[in-house]
Amino acid sequence: MYALQYKASGFSRLGVMSCIEEYADPLRASRELILVGKPSSDQNNGSSLIRAWISGSDSKNWWQASYWICGSAYKSNIWSRYCSVTWANELFPKEWLVQGSYQHPIVPVDHCLVGPAGENTQRCGLHYSSYIVCLVCLLTLGECLCILWVTFKHKTPTILTMGDGLASFLQHPDSEFLSPDLPASIPMQRIECQEQQVRLQPGPWKPERQVSWMRAVTCKTWVVSLIVFSIIISSGSYLLSMAIHQLAKSGVSTSLGDIWSQGLGQVNPYAEIGGNFWGRGDTVFQFFQNITAANFFQLLVSLCYIFYNNILTRQLLASEWTRLLRVEDKKPLRLSSPQAMQRSSYTLSLPFKYSIPTILSFMVLHWLVSQSVFLVHIAVYEPGPLGRRIPTSDISRLGFSTIGIILGLGIFGIMLLALLINSVSRKYRGVPLYFPTMALTSCGISAACHPPKGDIEAYLFPVSLGVVCDSHTGGYAGRLTLSTDVTMRPPEEGQMYVQPMWLTPRRVAKSSVVELLGNFRTRFQTRTMTIWKHLVRDKVSAVWLAKSFAGTNVWGSQFWREPAASEECKGSS
């Protein structure tokens, strides 16, 4: 410290206000400093040196390196409020009073003597962790090896889009659904996949005028997705409240204008949290734990994208599936590797008008998160242009940007609101309630891919989903299938068709207790009237009556009945 006395002859003089502005920001200060007090009787045994210290030498409290400027205003050794230039001007409008610590006398400052400055901008560089770089390289190499293994090991055609699946099922129909020799056994054939049962069975076609896109997503998927979205919003809200509390505790204004002026992704001494989260003082360990904490929110955003994309994919697959019911507008399938009249698929699952806004929105959200919570690693140098590096005083902290957190929460809120509005406002038209969910399972799609005899290359030509008549109709009004048949007709309301239907009670479209009881009452009344007519008019035997009740299926789509040939399919039954 006494060496400064010999260096003072080469120092420059600064006024009080210029000196405060020079040293208020600990990230800018790089000069040696001598505070020259006004003449006073408080001398240190005849020496002009009253108090000396190294500011910022404590790596745990480096952000408090400028607190000596406002030291006389602190009532105790609790340095909570950030000493900004604005606060210093309010405290010392006429005279700057400095106190090295609360135990030392207060000294009025006349002027400052400062040494040559070090160029902190020239000390910036590319900083990286060799451990993390090696880990990223190893993981990337493993990913590349997996891709190569899948490419050369599996030679089977890929099924990436719905068109790929439809083409595969049309080319190789599933024999579990249809039995050419036993058409009467159609109601008893079923296939199970992933605990969901689909049966190709007779059932009435009951289209709804409008079916919300929300019904294309199962209740379980909605609940899990909304829980994830709520966790993200809660985490962001907690971080925002903590940031505002930190600013208020440091005496920084929390008005929207002042928060905006703090900048996006800017390092501010008062806008930092963290340190030793797990109570260890090791610098390397502290560095890695701060990296983990900063990237935790990036992980949440990536998880959010998976669930967000999952909901949109289900809804748009169901939309593509329901559009196949336009019999008059047959279209070729979109495949990842098209043949003949097939078209190439321009997307895996989402059309460009959905995928591009979604990807751009999440790119912006990832960038805002990176500017909201980030790693701050401080490298310490000795003062002056030739200052030596002091690695033992380095420190890592978490920096935050309040305006970045606000913008991130706002963008995500808008995205979530847009998803909900799109799900409620968009409608599937002219389809039964259960029909859109058939697009979400290969069982449902496979059950509808049994073209009539002779239509053996339907997957190569324009197709649509409609009603055909063949040997598998079983005496009903027709069979719903995917085909190129020119005689195909659209399904009509109230007609009985052999069609794919859900059997599991939890997948029934109208699954609430009230709706279920209403359906049961309607079916019971219909069956009772039918039996009464047979008893009065035909005088049927008790055997028929017992057989009729024994065939009742409460959960299924219809009661047991004797198949009656319809006018449309009478010739082929």
Side-chain angles (χ1 to χ4, degrees):
M1 295 300 176
Y2 289 97
L4 288 177
Q5 182 177 1
Y6 302 100
K7 298 180 181 179
S9 59
F11 283 11
S12 303
R13 175 170 176 160
L14 289 180
V16 170
M17 293 309 302
S18 299
C19 188
I20 292 176
E21 293 175 358
E22 177 75 20
Y23 290 91
D25 187 355
L27 298 178
R28 291 177 50 197
S30 62
R31 301 185 180 190
E32 293 176 303
L33 171 65
I34 297 177
L35 296 176
V36 180
K38 293 181 179 180
S40 173
S41 60
D42 293 331
Q43 300 296 328
N44 188 14
N45 296 325
S47 173
S48 60
L49 178 60
I50 300 177
R51 169 68 174 162
W53 66 90
I54 300 177
S55 178
S57 60
D58 185 1
S59 61
K60 295 183 179 179
N61 300 309
W62 67 268
W63 61 95
Q64 297 178 355
S66 61
Y67 278 23
W68 58 269
I69 297 175
C70 307
S72 61
Y74 295 105
K75 303 301 181 183
S76 63
N77 200 24
I78 301 176
W79 305 75
S80 59
R81 181 165 182 173
Y82 175 68
C83 183
S84 63
V85 176
T86 303
W87 191 38
N89 291 334
E90 295 176 357
L91 291 174
F92 314 112
K94 297 180 180 181
E95 188 177 47
W96 182 18
L97 304 176
V98 175
Q99 184 180 25
S101 67
Y102 69 96
Q103 297 177 345
H104 291 81
I106 298 176
V107 179
V109 178
D110 182 71
H111 63 276
C112 300
L113 296 177
V114 296
E119 293 294 336
N120 286 339
T121 56
Q122 297 180 1
R123 294 168 176 170
C124 296
L126 176 63
H127 299 272
Y128 64 92
S129 171
S130 57
Y131 301 102
I132 296 179
V133 170
C134 293
L135 180 60
V136 171
C137 291
L138 289 175
L139 293 177
T140 305
L141 177 62
E143 185 178 6
C144 294
L145 292 177
C146 291
I147 293 175
L148 292 175
W149 180 78
V150 172
T151 302
F152 293 103
K153 178 68 176 180
H154 298 276
K155 300 296 183 179
T156 56
T158 56
I159 298 180
L160 301 178
T161 66
M162 175 178 283
D164 292 331
L166 292 173
S168 176
F169 288 128
L170 286 174
Q171 188 176 6
H172 307 287
D174 196 335
S175 59
E176 292 290 333
F177 286 101
L178 293 179
S179 177
D181 300 328
L182 300 172
S185 66
I186 291 175
M188 298 303 296
Q189 298 295 327
R190 72 175 61 182
I191 186 171
E192 298 184 9
C193 62
Q194 297 179 354
E195 301 179 356
Q196 300 171 0
Q197 294 179 335
V198 176
R199 175 187 290 178
L200 190 63
Q201 66 174 25
W205 184 259
K206 297 181 179 180
E208 300 286 338
R209 192 173 68 89
Q210 293 181 342
V211 178
S212 174
W213 276 30
M214 294 193 71
R215 287 187 173 270
V217 182
T218 62
C219 182
K220 178 181 178 180
T221 302
W222 273 118
V223 170
V224 175
S225 301
L226 291 177
I227 289 176
V228 173
F229 298 155
S230 300
I231 291 175
I232 295 175
I233 293 177
S234 301
S235 301
S237 301
Y238 173 75
L239 186 63
L240 178 61
S241 64
M242 187 169 58
I244 294 177
H245 174 73
Q246 177 72 12
L247 294 181
K249 181 181 177 181
S250 300
V252 180
S253 175
T254 56
S255 64
L256 188 59
D258 291 331
I259 288 177
W260 179 268
S261 64
Q262 294 170 13
L264 185 64
Q266 297 295 321
V267 178
N268 295 306
Y270 51 82
E272 290 168 2
I273 55 177
N276 295 324
F277 289 104
W278 291 286
R280 290 183 57 179
D282 181 46
T283 304
V284 176
F285 183 78
Q286 186 184 90
F287 176 74
F288 279 103
Q289 70 181 12
N290 280 287
I291 288 179
T292 304
N295 287 278
F296 170 74
F297 299 96
Q298 296 285 358
L299 177 63
L300 290 182
V301 175
S302 300
L303 186 65
C304 171
Y305 173 77
I306 295 175
F307 285 90
Y308 197 96
N309 185 76
N310 178 46
I311 292 176
L312 281 179
T313 300
R314 289 170 178 264
Q315 293 174 340
L316 291 167
L317 282 177
S319 177
E320 182 180 356
W321 173 253
T322 55
R323 288 199 301 269
L324 291 173
L325 286 171
R326 301 172 183 174
V327 176
E328 69 284 352
D329 186 22
K330 292 183 174 66
K331 291 184 178 181
L333 300 175
R334 287 188 179 272
L335 276 76
S336 54
S337 300
Q339 307 176 43
M341 297 183 66
Q342 297 171 344
R343 294 181 295 174
S344 61
S345 177
Y346 57 89
T347 178
L348 290 179
S349 57
L350 301 182
F352 285 150
K353 65 179 181 180
Y354 283 93
S355 60
I356 292 179
T358 301
I359 292 175
L360 290 179
S361 298
F362 274 96
M363 287 175 59
V364 172
L365 191 58
H366 274 289
W367 178 76
L368 286 174
V369 170
S370 70
Q371 300 301 303
S372 300
V373 183
F374 44 86
L375 176 70
V376 178
H377 186 71
I378 302 300
V380 181
Y381 290 81
E382 289 182 347
L386 302 178
R388 292 184 298 108
R389 181 84 161 78
I390 311 177
T392 56
S393 296
D394 289 356
I395 188 69
S396 296
R397 303 271 295 178
L398 279 181
F400 64 86
S401 173
T402 310
I403 190 63
I405 300 173
I406 294 175
L407 292 176
L409 284 174
I411 293 294
F412 181 70
I414 293 174
M415 293 172 59
L416 184 57
L417 185 63
L419 177 65
L420 296 177
I421 292 177
N422 184 75
S423 301
V424 174
S425 60
R426 298 296 301 274
K427 308 291 183 182
Y428 308 111
R429 304 184 185 277
V431 296
L433 290 173
Y434 64 85
F435 192 77
T437 57
M438 287 290 174
L440 308 180
T441 172
S442 58
C443 295
I445 296 176
S446 176
C449 292
H450 293 84
K453 185 178 181 180
D455 194 4
I456 57 176
E457 294 184 341
Y459 66 98
L460 296 175
F461 301 95
V463 295
S464 62
L465 193 60
V467 177
V468 298
C469 295
D470 57 11
S471 59
H472 302 293
T473 302
Y476 295 95
R479 180 169 61 86
L480 190 67
T481 187
L482 206 67
S483 175
T484 62
D485 193 349
V486 294
T487 63
M488 180 187 298
R489 64 185 188 279
E492 300 178 3
E493 183 176 2
Q495 292 292 328
M496 298 289 293
Y497 299 114
V498 177
Q499 57 181 306
M501 302 193 72
W502 294 109
L503 290 184
T504 310
R506 60 185 175 88
R507 295 302 301 268
V508 176
K510 295 183 178 181
S511 57
S512 66
V513 177
V514 176
E515 293 172 334
L516 185 61
L517 292 177
N519 292 340
F520 177 77
R521 182 185 63 182
T522 302
R523 294 171 179 175
F524 180 77
Q525 291 176 350
T526 303
R527 173 52 56 191
T528 303
M529 293 300 298
T530 303
I531 294 175
W532 177 254
K533 290 179 181 179
H534 279 285
L535 287 174
V536 174
R537 186 182 62 186
D538 300 334
K539 298 180 181 180
V540 297
S541 64
V543 175
W544 184 92
L545 181 62
K547 185 177 180 181
S548 179
F549 274 112
T552 301
N553 181 7
V554 176
W555 292 103
S557 61
Q558 81 151 35
F559 290 84
W560 184 90
R561 56 169 289 178
E562 292 289 342
S566 63
E567 294 295 332
E568 296 85 349
C569 296
K570 186 180 296 183
S572 60
S573 61

